[in-house]
Amino acid sequence: GGCHALKVVTTKRASRGQWAVLVDQMVGRGADVPDDQIETLVDYLAKNFGPTKAPSAAGNNHAPKHLVNVNKATANELAGTLGLSPNDAAAIVAYRKQNGDFKALPDLMNVPGVETKKIETNKGRLTF
């Protein structure tokens, strides 16, 4: 409550990955959260202030997954929507800036230091 009004947090409705990025940014800016409590805080925020799921017109509860263009997304967008660590997302953006746009999944898998398992898990959500 020291930096933001409570309404800012309660209306955010971010995914767990997005909350993880936001908490990491807040800690980097001086928020007083012990390291051993960060995951607990992110879990709490995601559970209580996560995305609201609207029922579909067809009646099935499977919301369409958001596609991510890896050639246009920011590091925060990559981390938040794909559940990547902030370091992995930043590495993807830095690699893209240095080497040009990704053309296909194998290009993305070649980014040094990126956890390829998360990329593989999200391959159906990626566009180039």
Side-chain angles (χ1 to χ4, degrees):
C3 296
H4 305 287
L6 185 57
K7 186 175 182 177
V8 171
V9 175
T10 60
T11 60
K12 182 68 176 160
R13 299 294 175 200
S15 69
R16 188 185 190 293
Q18 291 166 323
W19 278 121
V21 170
L22 290 168
V23 168
D24 186 54
Q25 290 171 346
M26 288 187 282
V27 169
R29 292 181 181 139
D32 187 21
V33 181
D35 288 344
D36 64 335
Q37 293 182 14
I38 290 175
E39 288 299 314
T40 302
L41 174 60
V42 170
D43 288 341
Y44 173 83
L45 291 168
K47 178 182 176 188
N48 294 287
F49 306 105
T52 305
K53 294 180 183 175
S56 70
N60 85 25
N61 292 327
H62 300 290
K65 292 186 176 183
H66 179 70
L67 294 177
V68 179
N69 185 320
V70 295
N71 292 318
K72 297 182 192 268
T74 65
N76 284 344
E77 291 168 336
L78 290 169
T81 56
L82 300 177
L84 300 174
S85 73
N87 288 341
D88 283 354
I92 289 170
V93 171
Y95 187 89
R96 179 181 73 205
K97 285 180 182 176
Q98 183 176 1
N99 298 292
D101 285 354
F102 300 101
K103 294 183 182 14
L105 185 63
D107 298 334
L108 188 58
M109 302 290 265
N110 287 330
V111 177
V114 173
E115 188 180 338
T116 57
K117 183 177 179 179
K118 288 222 178 176
I119 300 296
E120 182 69 30
T121 300
N122 286 293
K123 67 183 178 184
R125 300 180 63 202
L126 304 175
T127 62
F128 299 89

